[in-house]
Amino acid sequence: MAARKRPSATNSTATDTSKPTTPVSVPPKTDDPPIAPPKSGLILKLFFILSLPYFYLIFYHYQLESELRRSILINAGLSLAGFFVTQKMIPVASTYVLRRNLFGFDINKKGTPQGTVKVPESLGIVVGIVFMVLAILFQYFNFTADSNWLVEYNAALASICFMLLLGFVDDVLDVPWRVKLLLPSFAALPLLMAYAGHTTIIIPKPLVPYVGFKILDLGWIYKLYMGLLAVFCTNSINIHAGLNGLEVGQTVVIASAILIHNIMQIGASVDPEYKQAHAFSIYLVQPLLATSLALFSYNWYPSSVFVGDTYTYFAGMAMAVIGILGHFSETLLIFFAPQVINFLLSVPQLFGFVQCPRHRLPRFDPQTGLLTGTNDGTLVNFFLRIFGKMSENRLCTALLVFQAIACALCFVLRYFLTGWYK
């Protein structure tokens, strides 16, 4: 969730910002200023940093088949168009959500003029819609009607769309936490039912002499594992939050690592089916990365829009689907190492062993503009307790750098374990 506080229904009439209780139409408000323009300079820097390894691997380091490279670049072109469409649609959508009183106040700026600004909520819906349109349009360029991958591709889109809808419902209805844990299970059903890939795992080489075989077929247990992975990825993005830009930023970092990983696996493999699985993953992760960057340009500190549970659920499910159908779920979990740490820190509060407040956020001092860590079990508070007080943008930057280091260590780990572990 974003670091926000929704208006209370107990406010006085003069300051009442609660949602209307009758379904009458509400006229547009003229006293709400337009949102701040996107932070284009930041996005240009990120694009430059991310594009260097991308173009190097595709055009120089690996000799990809011309047809496969063509499909990847067509998908990249559509994704780039999706970036600009998303960036244009967010201000338009902001006026509509403000009109319906779907907004919040930034808790980490309480006591300052910025803390009284109405911030449009649930703008992740724009990213989700543009992503779905891009993914559907891409079928025209890459898949034929009898393609074996088309069924799984559409099942993946169904799961992502289902989660996008449930996330928006959560933003509007404020679903209880215990129900949130179950929502990804239902959203993952289309994917699990259509999954036709292998259900086997390769036994690590050091263990083969002890177990006596190299490959183990898990059957339905593997599908259960995939369902649990979808639940974890979706909720882990949602609970590792609370700072401007953190939810979208971690998605951008992980999606970039997934993209690089897929290109490396395609370039190093000679198995056509293995290559197609990773290409399938690229076709989904590129539009996710592009649309998320557009949202990041508005959500970075100081945030002019909130992404809402709509985005966190959508992004988490999208990356789970990408990892499952790309057949690199183990690598995906290593990319999610900070989210795993955050979950482990959160277990006592999430499962009721320790009292869990509604907002497990650090304390903000309006005099200094710094955040102080609390005893709540989150990685955000843990960083503040270890490294001391920080400003919000500095703390978020540190957490995203930590996310990038975790992804980099994953590549290093795979490099040293290849040939020995599997």
Side-chain angles (χ1 to χ4, degrees):
M1 295 182 297
R4 64 189 185 275
K5 181 177 181 181
R6 292 180 180 170
S8 171
T10 59
N11 289 347
S12 63
T13 304
T15 60
D16 185 19
T17 55
S18 60
K19 294 183 177 65
T21 57
T22 56
V24 297
S25 60
V26 180
K29 295 184 177 181
T30 59
D31 56 343
D32 292 325
I35 65 172
K39 302 168 184 67
S40 300
L42 172 65
I43 300 305
L44 285 175
K45 293 177 183 177
L46 288 176
F47 176 78
F48 180 75
I49 294 172
L50 298 177
S51 62
L52 283 179
Y54 176 81
F55 290 118
Y56 170 76
L57 293 175
I58 285 185
F59 292 105
Y60 181 77
H61 191 74
Y62 295 117
Q63 299 298 320
L64 302 184
E65 294 88 345
S66 58
E67 188 66 26
L68 180 57
R69 183 188 286 114
R70 173 182 172 275
S71 295
I72 293 175
L73 293 178
I74 288 175
N75 183 268
L78 285 173
S79 301
L80 183 62
F83 168 84
F84 292 109
V85 171
T86 304
Q87 208 171 51
K88 291 295 183 181
M89 284 182 60
I90 286 176
V92 177
S94 298
T95 62
Y96 282 93
V97 297
L98 285 174
R99 187 181 304 175
R100 301 307 302 176
N101 283 339
L102 191 60
F103 62 86
F105 299 106
D106 200 325
I107 298 178
N108 287 335
K109 299 178 181 64
K110 187 176 181 180
T112 68
Q114 286 182 314
T116 62
V117 175
K118 298 177 183 178
V119 183
E121 184 72 85
S122 305
L123 268 299
I125 191 67
V126 176
V127 173
I129 292 173
V130 175
F131 171 88
M132 292 299 299
V133 172
L134 293 176
I136 293 170
L137 286 177
F138 179 67
Q139 296 185 44
Y140 174 80
F141 298 97
N142 193 70
F143 296 106
T144 59
D146 58 347
S147 173
N148 295 329
W149 289 93
L150 190 58
V151 174
E152 291 189 359
Y153 187 83
N154 284 327
L157 296 185
S159 291
I160 295 171
C161 186
F162 198 173
M163 200 67 251
L164 178 67
L165 171 63
L166 293 175
F168 190 70
V169 168
D170 183 22
D171 277 335
V172 174
L173 301 182
D174 205 10
V175 177
W177 175 250
R178 60 184 178 274
V179 179
K180 293 181 182 182
L181 290 175
L182 298 176
L183 293 181
S185 304
F186 298 111
L189 286 177
L191 173 63
L192 298 180
M193 294 300 102
Y195 182 76
H198 66 78
T199 57
T200 59
I201 60 172
I202 301 175
I203 303 298
K205 290 181 179 180
L207 299 180
V208 171
Y210 300 99
V211 298
F213 47 85
K214 297 181 179 180
I215 297 177
L216 175 64
D217 189 355
L218 296 179
W220 65 269
I221 298 178
Y222 190 84
K223 288 194 174 183
L224 176 63
Y225 161 73
M226 292 191 298
L228 293 176
L229 179 65
V231 172
F232 170 76
C233 290
T234 304
N235 284 289
S236 65
I237 296 293
N238 190 42
I239 64 175
H240 185 37
L243 304 175
N244 289 174
L246 181 56
E247 298 95 325
V248 190
Q250 62 186 295
T251 302
V252 168
V253 173
I254 297 173
S256 301
I258 291 174
L259 179 60
I260 298 302
H261 169 72
N262 283 318
I263 295 175
M264 292 175 65
Q265 293 305 303
I266 291 174
S269 176
V270 294
D271 183 357
E273 185 176 352
Y274 186 79
K275 287 185 175 183
Q276 187 58 46
H278 284 282
F280 182 99
S281 178
I282 291 177
Y283 301 152
L284 292 176
V285 77
Q286 287 190 146
L288 173 65
L289 178 58
T291 53
S292 294
L293 279 172
L295 180 58
F296 190 63
S297 67
Y298 289 98
N299 187 240
W300 181 246
Y301 182 92
S303 178
S304 54
V305 301
F306 285 147
V307 301
D309 292 341
T310 306
Y311 178 80
T312 58
Y313 283 169
F314 154 76
M317 178 57 74
M319 288 190 286
V321 165
I322 289 167
I324 290 171
L325 296 185
H327 305 310
F328 57 92
S329 56
E330 292 178 351
T331 301
L332 182 66
L333 279 177
I334 302 177
F335 287 154
F336 271 77
Q339 287 72 22
V340 173
I341 296 172
N342 184 69
F343 172 74
L344 294 176
L345 292 172
S346 301
V347 163
Q349 289 183 316
L350 294 180
F351 291 94
F353 302 119
V354 179
Q355 184 179 2
C356 182
R358 175 173 175 78
H359 297 292
R360 302 185 302 158
L361 298 174
R363 289 189 298 270
F364 174 71
D365 185 354
Q367 301 298 323
T368 62
L370 301 179
L371 297 174
T372 304
T374 67
N375 291 324
D376 290 316
T378 65
L379 190 58
V380 171
N381 285 302
F382 181 76
F383 257 60
L384 289 171
R385 293 197 297 267
I386 295 297
F387 299 108
K389 300 179 181 180
M390 296 186 198
S391 62
E392 185 176 0
N393 59 333
R394 183 183 174 191
L395 175 59
C396 187
T397 301
L399 288 167
L400 295 183
V401 169
F402 179 62
Q403 184 79 61
I405 291 173
C407 293
L409 288 177
C410 177
F411 288 109
V412 174
L413 190 63
R414 284 186 60 90
Y415 175 80
F416 283 106
L417 293 183
T418 298
W420 174 80
Y421 184 71
K422 287 187 179 180

